[in-house]
Amino acid sequence: MNHDIVTIGEAMLRLWVPTGERLETAPSFRVAVAGSEANVAMAASRMGARTAWVSSLPDNALGRRAAREVAQHGVDVDHISWSDEGRMGLYFIELSGPPRPVAALYDREHSSMASMSSSDVEWPVLESARIVHISGITPALSDSARSLSIDVVRRSRAAGAMVSIDVNYRRKLWEPDECAKTIAVMAEYADLLITSTEDARDVFGFDGTPEAMLRDLQGLAGTSRVVLTAGADGAFWLDGLESGSAAGYVAETVDRIGAGDAFAAGTLVGLLDGDLSGGVERGTAMAALKLGIYGDQLSVTREEVDRVIEGHSREVSR
Amino acid sequence: MNHDIVTIGEAMLRLWVPTGERLETAPSFRVAVAGSEANVAMAASRMGARTAWVSSLPDNALGRRAAREVAQHGVDVDHISWSDEGRMGLYFIELSGPPRPVAALYDREHSSMASMSSSDVEWPVLESARIVHISGITPALSDSARSLSIDVVRRSRAAGAMVSIDVNYRRKLWEPDECAKTIAVMAEYADLLITSTEDARDVFGFDGTPEAMLRDLQGLAGTSRVVLTAGADGAFWLDGLESGSAAGYVAETVDRIGAGDAFAAGTLVGLLDGDLSGGVERGTAMAALKLGIYGDQLSVTREEVDRVIEGHSREVSR
Amino acid sequence: MNHDIVTIGEAMLRLWVPTGERLETAPSFRVAVAGSEANVAMAASRMGARTAWVSSLPDNALGRRAAREVAQHGVDVDHISWSDEGRMGLYFIELSGPPRPVAALYDREHSSMASMSSSDVEWPVLESARIVHISGITPALSDSARSLSIDVVRRSRAAGAMVSIDVNYRRKLWEPDECAKTIAVMAEYADLLITSTEDARDVFGFDGTPEAMLRDLQGLAGTSRVVLTAGADGAFWLDGLESGSAAGYVAETVDRIGAGDAFAAGTLVGLLDGDLSGGVERGTAMAALKLGIYGDQLSVTREEVDRVIEGHSREVSR
Amino acid sequence: MNHDIVTIGEAMLRLWVPTGERLETAPSFRVAVAGSEANVAMAASRMGARTAWVSSLPDNALGRRAAREVAQHGVDVDHISWSDEGRMGLYFIELSGPPRPVAALYDREHSSMASMSSSDVEWPVLESARIVHISGITPALSDSARSLSIDVVRRSRAAGAMVSIDVNYRRKLWEPDECAKTIAVMAEYADLLITSTEDARDVFGFDGTPEAMLRDLQGLAGTSRVVLTAGADGAFWLDGLESGSAAGYVAETVDRIGAGDAFAAGTLVGLLDGDLSGGVERGTAMAALKLGIYGDQLSVTREEVDRVIEGHSREVSR
Amino acid sequence: MNHDIVTIGEAMLRLWVPTGERLETAPSFRVAVAGSEANVAMAASRMGARTAWVSSLPDNALGRRAAREVAQHGVDVDHISWSDEGRMGLYFIELSGPPRPVAALYDREHSSMASMSSSDVEWPVLESARIVHISGITPALSDSARSLSIDVVRRSRAAGAMVSIDVNYRRKLWEPDECAKTIAVMAEYADLLITSTEDARDVFGFDGTPEAMLRDLQGLAGTSRVVLTAGADGAFWLDGLESGSAAGYVAETVDRIGAGDAFAAGTLVGLLDGDLSGGVERGTAMAALKLGIYGDQLSVTREEVDRVIEGHSREVSR
Amino acid sequence: MNHDIVTIGEAMLRLWVPTGERLETAPSFRVAVAGSEANVAMAASRMGARTAWVSSLPDNALGRRAAREVAQHGVDVDHISWSDEGRMGLYFIELSGPPRPVAALYDREHSSMASMSSSDVEWPVLESARIVHISGITPALSDSARSLSIDVVRRSRAAGAMVSIDVNYRRKLWEPDECAKTIAVMAEYADLLITSTEDARDVFGFDGTPEAMLRDLQGLAGTSRVVLTAGADGAFWLDGLESGSAAGYVAETVDRIGAGDAFAAGTLVGLLDGDLSGGVERGTAMAALKLGIYGDQLSVTREEVDRVIEGHSREVSR
């Protein structure tokens, strides 16, 4: 089977507590699976795309848990590299509201994915995909992951796949300038570059209006297709000279983690249809829906997204 | 014992997940009992009214659960028709906030109540009541339930009980015009007709100001006593030529299901006292309190409602 | 992809409470997915077999939940018939110990599967399988399901698949003699017939030693390959003139539901390898492991089963 | 309505943790309602008897919780004395297995019930009952409760009700000789006296065979009807010169609290039918069922008890 | 070891349900430990102060739970008076939002602390402290606790400790004028007096601007150092002629209980550093953080408080 | 303060699921703190000993959690080395019964403790202790931990502390012969050597009767004081030529992890009193109590242990 979208990156077990509880004192941690690229694959699969997720996992109960949870959303997990070395990456999350930020405590060093190298990848899976998607987290994991990431975008592009990159800066993993430099290299092969306004400013030093930022990003990428997310203010896109935006939604937030990945998935699904504008619009609705759902994954149906876009009105559907 | 208020209608098991969780993935469902008329009986009982609830339930653990939970709030459940046929109606609820509507997945077909007929009813219980209350959900359940519903209002009125009808339109059960037609027949026997602004518009095609809608409703019912709810905007009433309204409350919402039933109960309690205005005021406070409590039932005391009406001020009572 | 094992049958949502709690009073029900043939597919998939599960599910959150949960264990769910009619079958379980039996309250009437007919089946999936497995529950669901079941075994056998039948008598669904008659018809096409000692006695009226029962079963089936389970006493098999048995295990029981399906899966995996004796041995270990795990599914690895068969000794592995 | 059985005594909120957890460290306590006489009323109600429970409760959320939970099982709670003074009695329970005993930490001093006096009782409810039941816990609560208890048995007997007393010695409340003396006074008015072998020995100093103990008890009571429970060994009875016993059951235990009350309820139901032997048999089955259910209450149906008595065999009923 | 801050007061077990649940119906209560002075000690300890908490506790599982939970936050609990008499104080809390107030149901009468007298106190612990802190709850508990409270402030002041008093009026414990009179006596020995605007108005009858209230308070206390809290509006202070204020924070509230204690702890930590202004600023941030954490305790690190004061910006820290 | 017992070793967060659940599928993991030497310190503290626990922990929420949980049981945690490097060790546990072993999945590599070296230790704390206790897990963590462990026993012995070693072999950490060699070196400095029968056989190759094993152990250690545990069969000891044993208990098991540490703590408490025989007896009772409590810690009081030793009889204490 050829895939519409293949993503590559690390999955972690997310051990978390809801708003009001603390990691230091909670009697139990809820368990989920997370990872930017896996999230994108799952959300895109739920929109109807044929997706695969490529990664390296330890061959133990935690690694199996990750693979099975991703598979559950319809993603092909048959191309994972199972490793006897390395551990399952973990991260601990306390959901919260202002004035306390949502705090992530990463424990992902020495993970199987951090030591994955190009020789562990089933390249035909990526090379036959319509879109290959990767985030800026993967090159930040380790030196070998950085080489792997560059290989991924280079070989995928060479094989004819469209390449999508989401900057997704993580300051607990690397410095802004390291990120900027690496993304610059990878963006040479990109057909689509997505970033948040925050990252555009903190990593690349861009500022000004969204339009200005988009033009700056266009200068960076090997493509003229760039997308800028602005949280509750929606998203903005530039495709060559064409541009547009999608308005944000009023949304009740229980868990903001994963909203960016939901957005990326929607955008990619639009890209598959040759409709970046529609993709950005869909992504914006998906990000808004994600805020109301616990966990990194956007567990919704395509119909639910459509209804949000169309703006149905009753507060209770019965 | 004669009852102040007797209600008749279906109870369902409500299997639900709180905001942020999904029916597709939650590890467990919380269990409650629900049903518009049962809710009204429970809430009215908590306000001090002597109430009974008439229904048909399957003779199994789920049916027993429903009866016992209703009994717990002080409602007389000795007049339920226990059936060897039919199943317990179920509904699955995901609480949520915008942009995702609260979604109800009904699984109530083939329920014991759907096949209840007039011969299963202990008529003296209804005929000796001061008020008999029914919602527009009951006639929507099945053909036999429609006949039963019309019998209920006709025979109760004939016996001297006041008849109260809450339109409560459910578009997953029937079409607006079917609802409108049936309510029109039933309203001939009504002493009180309650509806939401949304239903007044969607079912009857009324629009304009609340006052205009109330006058249109008056034209429909066999009585001049009509009440219109408007969510956070409060409620409006018309009794012959007299009219009035009750302001809504600022309320923190965790579960909006059942607010309409809480309102109806308050209104009926006012009606018992010959004070429709006070009832609408009480109902508005009860609906606001319901928003902050999980489950369809308004598990409060009369004192708590009084305090809301009086507007006590400290955020913490200690 | 050709499958090693394809199973066909209903899945239900299992709403359950652990030992000590009651359906009448528990504040929440845990949710799992169950169904004899789906269980067999999941357990066999975990042993390394390429499996698919064929069924009909309602196109709603509950149906999606069932499909995703089965997919999670590696089973191909792409050949499910999604139905706009029919509901999701449910069953409610109270786990318990003596003197109270584990009680199942079925609410599976009017399910999508009950109205599935031969025209809803993707026959090539079954016809290209190495083994097609069905239980005696499927023909008990409805008249159409009975026709479908007979079609399944007839067409699969005709296409060259091995046919496996597990009697799995459910007295809440049909009478013993109806079951006996239908199984007799289906067994004409069987390459393997599995039954418990209890069912052999209650449905077919067999008694005496396991060996005598096996010979009687051999007379019934279109194959000489018959297997008899005896709970804690292990299992017995007869293949032509060859015979053997596997000893049961001392096992701490938390949830006995699904042990028979785990056994069947192990036996089928043996059959794939042309090793019925090894399969029965594996199935016996799998059934013992199932007793110690909540839910209908045997969520174990092949290595864990191997270790039980080999009899490792430390109570704590660290 | 005349009642079959009226019981009088304290209810407490039971705050508890399951086996393996400790009161000192558990993150939450489960909440139930308990109290020997309330338990008897609930269990008897479930067997079909018309029951009422008389008590005094504080007029707050905890008191209301107690009344509603008792009502839920079909018991008439309209004759409770609601008090502005006194608190809700509490007790904290850690379930456990050997070598650690199930430990009860009582916090019941200053409860509303402890200060209930004869003037707070609606005597006609007791005087019109067929059976009035009280345990030895009630007179142990306070001096006023002791007077009240003696009044209860005296006035009930005088009015023609049968009086039943369950010794139920609690060493955390009083000394054995105080208990013995008080029970001796109360037993003058008893038609039935129930005690455990342990209490017969520790409180009254009886020993020897069950038969010998029963004869000694007969000497104590104002009636010749005495019953002795012996845990897993069943129960023994003596009625004038007639005697008999009921064998105990093999039972999986999750919560042994309340088994004695379940037994008493079964015995009383037999007494209602003029069949002490059948009552003791029923009580023994009810006590065995209680062991497998969390909470003080025996939440079962009469049919479930009948099935245990008849000895149905399948471990799973489906 | 000499302590920076020693507090004295009652601890209670807090049995609570989150917003949306009710004490009357919730299946379980969460368990925490609470008590104004204990809360202050815990929060101050987390800010780095060496603290001790002095109290009287019953020598049972509940008392031990209280001591251990306080110890967990680094507070010295070696100077608690363990009592064989008296019970553990309890309070039951329903968190909630408008229009329903957070309701506290106290069950603290007859507690060990209520009967603590001066002879039960290890005076050297208080006398060697830099600050001794007490709230207006302690003198409200009982007559002996009132004497004890006055002794505490008198002897501590005499020994050279700074004395801090938080008015903390509880109308369920005493009348405003009793409180006013007692605080007036205690304030003679105070180096710091803290009160809320609400209490300043309800207890002392002060009104007008915060500045006016502070001046009135100054007239009351034996010190010129007074602090006034104003909820979301922040806090105000007056130290001799110097004055200042700290702005409140926008905060998502899940549990407002304990915010005042968190504020007091921050203020005391500032006082230790001779920086009342900085203490009020820290206290305001700590109170805001408390609103987003379940339980009476402020389970945060000093770094988290610093980050709030400095105003870091990203909503998610990763 | 001088300590009675100081232990040194790693603590881990224990993320666990109860019997019947699986790490692969459980929706949440319960969280506890564990580590052999920390467990011993906590259990000994609960018996009244003044204890400290020395370790290295990462300075984050997980490390703080560990320290606070240990402190809660009265252990002095002021001598922990807080590290900016290294992670919190984790282990994942599935409780279970036969035929499935309790499986521990360790994720403790790269922990702060694994890189602790002698220069991180506050030696005076160990040197002033009456007993210093360490298990064979600590030297197995890393090369530096092995050096540290040998330093610990050498320097403590030299300073006059009694040295206690519990072999505690973990085959997931090292090979039997490595363990044997290291223990042989450390045992030169030991005043007490504890091992299980299993480890005596698997690590040292000893067999025969307990007495024979004890004599072989005596040959190994620098002391004549050796103790051998035999699970449900109790424990055996040899002190010079004196010897004895303690019978095991019938115990209901919910969590067997930590029973060995509970035993060691009891033995050490006996050693403090110069009563090895009494210590072994106490340890045996403590191990039996641990089996019935979730978590690695023995959360009991000294009185509860005494009651088990004395053999009180009622199953319910009330």
Side-chain angles (χ1 to χ4, degrees), chain A residues 30 46 249-252 254 288-289 292-294 299-300 304 308 314-318, chain B residues 19-22 24 97-102 104 106 170-172 198-199 202 256-257:
Chain A
R30 304 195 193 178
R46 283 180 161 275
Y249 290 85
V250 172
E252 197 179 303
V254 300
L289 278 166
I293 297 174
Y294 284 122
S299 300
V300 300
E304 286 178 308
V308 168
R314 289 215 171 194
E315 283 180 319
V316 181
S317 163
R318 60 188 174 184
Chain B
T19 296
E21 300 195 10
R22 303 235 63 189
E24 227 190 284
R100 191 154 53 90
V102 174
Y106 287 109
R170 292 288 180 270
R171 80 188 139 134
K172 291 186 177 170
E198 270 185 329
D199 287 352
D202 293 355
R256 59 181 66 255
I257 313 288

Side-chain angles (χ1 to χ4, degrees), chain D residues 68-81:
Chain D
R68 290 186 187 285
E69 203 148 319
V70 174
Q72 192 180 24
H73 298 271
V75 177
D76 179 356
V77 298
D78 285 349
H79 310 289
I80 288 167
S81 165

Side-chain angles (χ1 to χ4, degrees), chain A:
Chain A
M1 179 176 84
N2 284 13
H3 299 94
D4 294 324
I5 300 173
V6 174
T7 73
I8 179 166
E10 187 177 29
M12 293 171 290
L13 232 52
R14 164 183 155 162
L15 299 162
W16 66 281
V17 293
T19 296
E21 300 195 8
R22 303 234 65 188
L23 292 172
E24 225 189 284
T25 53
S28 60
F29 295 164
R30 304 195 193 178
V31 188
V33 167
S36 180
E37 295 91 348
N39 292 344
V40 171
M42 288 183 268
S45 171
R46 283 180 161 275
M47 292 305 106
R50 293 163 306 156
T51 65
W53 171 61
V54 175
S55 193
S56 179
L57 287 173
D59 188 12
N60 63 24
L62 306 184
R64 282 191 298 276
R65 180 172 186 132
R68 289 186 187 286
E69 204 149 320
V70 175
Q72 191 180 25
H73 296 273
V75 178
D76 179 357
V77 298
D78 284 349
H79 310 288
I80 287 167
S81 166
W82 291 95
S83 168
D84 286 336
E85 280 162 46
R87 48 188 293 275
M88 186 72 207
L90 304 174
Y91 83 118
F92 299 82
I93 281 274
E94 284 179 342
L95 299 180
S96 64
R100 192 154 53 90
V102 174
L105 170 58
Y106 287 109
D107 180 21
R108 67 199 301 178
E109 280 192 86
H110 312 290
S111 74
S112 300
M113 184 65 205
S115 62
M116 193 186 195
S117 70
S118 293
S119 62
D120 299 320
V121 175
E122 292 185 23
W123 288 105
V125 177
L126 282 84
E127 290 167 349
S128 64
R130 291 182 57 201
I131 298 180
V132 169
H133 174 80
I134 191 168
S135 86
I137 298 170
T138 305
L141 295 177
S142 65
D143 287 347
S144 67
R146 197 171 313 191
S147 305
L148 172 63
S149 300
I150 296 171
D151 273 12
V152 161
V153 294
R154 194 175 43 75
R155 290 182 65 160
S156 300
R157 178 68 172 270
M162 285 193 284
V163 167
S164 160
I165 300 173
D166 185 354
V167 172
N168 237 342
Y169 175 61
R170 291 288 180 271
R171 80 187 138 134
K172 291 187 177 171
L173 293 180
W174 55 357
E175 294 299 312
D177 61 336
E178 283 180 285
C179 176
K181 228 178 319 175
T182 304
I183 293 292
V185 172
M186 291 172 67
E188 290 297 312
Y189 306 98
D191 295 275
L192 172 66
L193 186 66
I194 305 174
T195 190
S196 67
T197 312
E198 270 186 329
D199 287 352
R201 190 188 57 225
D202 293 355
V203 174
F204 301 113
F206 298 164
D207 57 13
T209 64
E211 291 70 22
M213 280 186 171
L214 282 167
R215 276 191 304 270
D216 287 340
L217 280 170
Q218 225 176 25
L220 190 79
T223 177
S224 53
R225 227 181 267 108
V226 289
V227 174
L228 188 77
T229 63
D233 293 333
F236 303 85
W237 58 271
L238 185 61
D239 187 353
L241 294 176
E242 222 180 326
S243 71
S245 68
Y249 290 85
V250 172
E252 197 179 303
T253 300
V254 300
D255 182 348
R256 59 181 68 253
I257 313 288
D261 301 327
F263 175 82
T267 302
L268 293 187
V269 166
L271 195 61
L272 280 177
D273 300 341
D275 177 10
L276 183 63
S277 173
V280 168
E281 194 178 0
R282 175 169 299 276
T284 305
M286 288 168 73
L289 278 166
K290 173 59 205 58
L291 299 176
I293 297 174
Y294 284 122
D296 278 52
Q297 282 85 46
L298 181 65
S299 300
V300 300
T301 61
R302 184 159 184 139
E303 288 66 35
E304 286 178 308
V305 179
D306 290 345
R307 270 197 298 261
V308 168
I309 294 172
E310 293 159 18
H312 285 283
S313 63
R314 289 215 171 194
E315 283 180 319
V316 181
S317 163
R318 60 188 174 184

Side-chain angles (χ1 to χ4, degrees), chain C residues 10 47 57 67 85 92 104 124 129 133 142 158 173 188 231 251 289 293 307:
Chain C
E10 185 176 29
M47 292 303 105
L57 287 172
E85 279 163 48
F92 299 82
H133 174 81
S142 66
L173 293 180
E188 291 297 312
L289 279 166
I293 297 174
R307 271 196 297 262

